[in-house]
């Protein structure tokens, strides 16, 4: 099915590759050197970058305009973060095309439970199996499963798709979500919302922070993984224990902590390791 160009956007502060490959989304694939396909819930888009302009092909224009956060002025954010320090200027300059996506909260909860102690290729494989097995049909493939479909699936089903020890987490969390209104998290501050998320099986502090940042758009959180521990010890070392690093960065960066996390993560993983 040929998709129409729904809209275009200047690529200066919208780098499709960097936005999709910085660890915040798993349901995407690279079609060719210039084009990526993205799935969110039951929505689909193809993004091609040509001569400094992103062409977005989809039948869901409003959804993906919001999804890619295109009403937000990222030039202003980059300038503000660049003024923090020479390191942040370099990291923000390297990752200035990254945008924090407006993703579906339910999909983020299950996706980041799967992401725990996992690598991106395997996360994508498990999610693909999940969608193909119990997701609804769309013209472009399978949608992300509903909470009901996931709650109806057995623990053995999740074992069978390769979820490993996360099988019971996915099963139990899906059952809990049947009677839980996720909209209640929207009105809570980040600390209270984190405490609520930690009640679900398979959600620890790091996964909770990822859900807060990528599912609830909370800029005052800073998920810490092995890459960010390296960043802390290489550039910010002040003797904090690993469990204190996230709070250190939140205090340092305030409401920009989440975006700073993305810049530093991408800078360390994509640039510093190859330097």
């Amino acid at each position: 099915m040929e998709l129409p160009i729904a809209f275009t956007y200047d690529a200066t502060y919208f780098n499709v590759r960097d936005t999709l490959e910085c660890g915040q989304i798993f349901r995407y694939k690279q079609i060719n050197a210039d084009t990526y396909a993205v799935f969110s819930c039951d929505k689909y888009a193809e993004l091609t970058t040509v001569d400094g302009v992103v062409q977005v092909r989809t039948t869901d224009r409003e959804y993906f305009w919001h999804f890619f956060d295109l009403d937000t002025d990222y030039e202003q954010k980059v300038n503000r973060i660049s003024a923090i320090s020479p390191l942040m200027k370099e990291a923000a300059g390297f990752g200035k095309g990254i945008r924090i996506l407006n993703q579906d909260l339910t999909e983020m909860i299950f996706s980041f439970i799967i992401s725990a102690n996992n690598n991106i290729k395997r996360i994508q494989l498990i999610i693909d199996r999940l969608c193909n097995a119990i997701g609804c049909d769309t013209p472009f493939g399978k949608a992300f499963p509903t909470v009901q479909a996931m709650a109806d699936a057995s623990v053995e089903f999740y074992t069978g798709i390769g979820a490993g020890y996360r099988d019971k987490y996915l099963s139990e969390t899906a059952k809990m979500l049947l009677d839980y209104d996720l909209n209640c998290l929207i009105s809570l501050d980040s600390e209270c919302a984190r405490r609520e998320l930690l009640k679900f099986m398979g959600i620890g502090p790091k996964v909770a922070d990822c859900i807060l940042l990528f599912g609830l758009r909370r800029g005052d959180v800073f998920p810490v993984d092995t890459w960010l521990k390296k960043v802390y010890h290489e550039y910010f070392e002040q003797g904090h224990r690993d469990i204190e690093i996230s709070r250190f960065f939140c205090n340092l960066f305030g409401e920009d902590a989440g975006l700073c996390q993305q810049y530093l993560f991408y800078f360390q993983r994509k640039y510093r390791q190859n330097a």
Side-chain angles (χ1 to χ4, degrees), residues 6 11 17 25 34 42 59 79 84 90 130-131 140-141 154 158 160 173 176 188 191 205-206 217 220 231 254 259:
R17 180 200 65 189
I25 184 174
D34 301 312
D42 61 348
T59 57
N79 289 339
I84 294 173
E90 188 174 7
L130 174 67
C131 295
F140 305 100
S154 65
Y158 293 110
T173 293
M176 289 177 67
L188 299 177
E191 191 54 46
K206 188 255 184 176
R217 294 278 307 181
D220 59 342
V231 166
L259 187 55

Side-chain angles (χ1 to χ4, degrees), residues 84-85 87-88 209 219-238 240-262 264-265 268:
I84 294 173
S85 70
L87 171 65
M88 293 312 301
D209 280 349
D220 59 342
V221 300
F222 194 101
V224 172
D225 64 359
T226 55
W227 291 105
L228 273 306
K229 289 176 186 176
K230 289 179 182 178
V231 166
Y232 171 78
H233 292 302
E234 185 170 351
Y235 302 110
F236 297 91
E237 181 65 65
Q238 293 189 21
H240 292 90
R241 296 175 297 163
D242 283 354
I243 61 171
E244 299 171 329
I245 291 175
S246 176
R247 178 54 51 197
F248 165 79
F249 280 122
C250 288
N251 290 337
L252 180 64
F253 296 130
E255 291 295 325
D256 287 324
L259 187 55
C260 288
Q261 189 266 5
Q262 288 288 276
L264 289 168
F265 171 81
Q268 185 75 11

Side-chain angles (χ1 to χ4, degrees), residues 1 32 71 76 82 86 111 116 128 132 156 165 168 178 181 203-204 210 241 243 251 259 270:
M1 177 179 174
N32 57 48
D71 281 327
Q76 183 181 74
S82 295
S111 295
D128 281 347
N132 288 334
E156 290 74 22
Y165 70 87
K168 59 183 177 294
L178 285 176
D181 182 9
I203 297 181
C210 287
R241 296 175 297 163
I243 61 171
N251 290 337
L259 187 55
K270 289 286 190 178

Side-chain angles (χ1 to χ4, degrees), residues 12-13 15 34 98 101 133 149 162 199 202 215:
T12 305
Y13 293 96
N15 185 298
D34 301 312
I98 295 172
L101 303 175
K199 295 177 182 178

Side-chain angles (χ1 to χ4, degrees), residues 60-76:
D60 295 289
R61 183 192 187 283
E62 290 75 16
Y63 183 90
F64 281 105
W65 183 273
H66 175 69
F67 183 83
F68 289 110
D69 198 30
L70 298 180
D71 281 327
T72 299
D73 182 354
Y74 275 75
E75 181 178 10
Q76 183 181 74

